[in-house]
Amino acid sequence: MEHESPVYHVIAVPVEKIKPNTYNPNTVAPPEMKLLYDSIKEDGYTMPIVCYYSKEDDTYIIVDGFHRYRIMLEYRDIYERENGMLPVSVIDKPLANRMASTIRHNRARGSHDVDLMSNIIKELHELGRSDAWISKHLGMDKDEILRLKQITGLAALFKDVKFGKAWRPAEDDWEEDGMGEEYEEETDQEEI
């Protein structure tokens, strides 16, 4: 029986053929990076990194596993023990889907850089993805998407957002409630 999941087809790839993506919003603090190094040193690579294979330049672009990749680059002992090879699980998806995969992997276990997350939302919109698509594929609710859009400040990102008309009391209502006179008195006192 053949399995469809990429993990059943892990391959060994020279680390030099692996490239980071430009959008990963996941950050790892130095103590956790040291722990990751210790884990890889003691147990080896127990999980492959996930990559997209680019036929154009014969490289593997990281979708998930950037920090495991970094360990091999930064620690000579790990590089030598692994003969410069990383276990890679390959997925074949267009860029927007790879970005969504990265976020799903990261949200399940890590923290995100808010500015990078905002840029991903921006890039996904530029790729033609709607808020509904982002919500479904990144596991975000509409308020989270809106907050991330606000950080970038680009008006084009708000085309999917429905804004209601602002409410303003009619002058007649204002005066009927007696609010008008009270307001005028407060205003007069402030001027004194």
Side-chain angles (χ1 to χ4, degrees), residues 36-45 71 77-78 81:
L36 180 60
Y37 164 72
D38 291 342
S39 172
I40 291 171
K41 182 175 180 159
E42 293 300 319
D43 303 324
Y45 281 93
I71 293 296
D77 59 332
I78 301 297
R81 184 189 72 197

Side-chain angles (χ1 to χ4, degrees), residues 66-82:
F66 172 73
H67 297 97
R68 284 171 273 151
Y69 158 81
R70 256 186 62 194
I71 293 296
M72 182 170 283
L73 293 182
E74 294 174 13
Y75 292 92
R76 192 81 193 148
D77 59 332
I78 301 297
Y79 181 92
E80 289 174 0
R81 184 189 72 197
E82 302 293 326

Side-chain angles (χ1 to χ4, degrees), residues 1-107:
M1 179 175 166
E2 190 173 318
H3 299 283
E4 293 299 317
S5 294
V7 75
Y8 294 106
H9 307 283
V10 175
I11 58 174
V13 175
V15 71
E16 294 79 15
K17 290 182 96 174
I18 299 171
K19 305 290 179 226
N21 65 50
T22 58
Y23 54 82
N24 188 1
N26 198 31
T27 56
V28 175
E32 282 77 18
M33 279 299 288
K34 175 71 170 84
L35 185 61
L36 180 60
Y37 164 72
D38 291 342
S39 172
I40 291 171
K41 182 175 180 159
E42 293 300 319
D43 303 324
Y45 281 93
T46 58
M47 292 178 14
I49 67 169
V50 180
C51 293
Y52 166 78
Y53 178 65
S54 172
K55 291 176 188 156
E56 293 172 15
D57 53 2
D58 190 32
T59 60
Y60 292 81
I61 301 161
I62 298 171
V63 173
D64 180 66
F66 172 73
H67 297 97
R68 284 171 273 151
Y69 158 81
R70 256 186 62 194
I71 293 296
M72 182 170 283
L73 293 182
E74 294 174 13
Y75 292 92
R76 192 81 193 148
D77 59 332
I78 301 297
Y79 181 92
E80 289 174 0
R81 184 189 72 197
E82 302 293 326
N83 295 314
M85 305 293 271
L86 268 175
V88 171
S89 181
V90 178
I91 62 172
D92 186 18
K93 295 181 173 189
L95 178 59
N97 294 68
R98 294 195 312 264
M99 292 172 95
S101 293
T102 297
I103 302 307
R104 284 192 299 267
H105 280 87
N106 288 346
R107 286 175 67 97

Side-chain angles (χ1 to χ4, degrees), residues 101-165:
S101 293
T102 297
I103 302 307
R104 284 192 299 267
H105 280 87
N106 288 346
R107 286 175 67 97
R109 65 163 188 273
S111 61
H112 289 90
D113 180 297
V114 173
D115 289 331
L116 287 172
M117 278 299 292
S118 297
N119 286 336
I120 286 175
I121 299 300
K122 176 181 173 274
E123 284 186 51
L124 286 171
H125 270 280
E126 288 170 355
L127 289 170
R129 299 304 184 256
S130 67
D131 285 356
W133 188 95
I134 292 169
S135 178
K136 177 182 176 187
H137 293 278
L138 273 58
M140 296 180 170
D141 63 33
K142 63 180 182 176
D143 290 334
E144 185 176 7
I145 295 168
L146 180 61
R147 282 192 302 275
L148 290 169
K149 284 179 174 184
Q150 289 169 332
I151 291 168
T152 62
L154 294 175
L157 296 181
F158 294 93
K159 69 179 175 52
D160 291 344
V161 179
K162 304 275 189 269
F163 293 101
K165 295 187 181 201

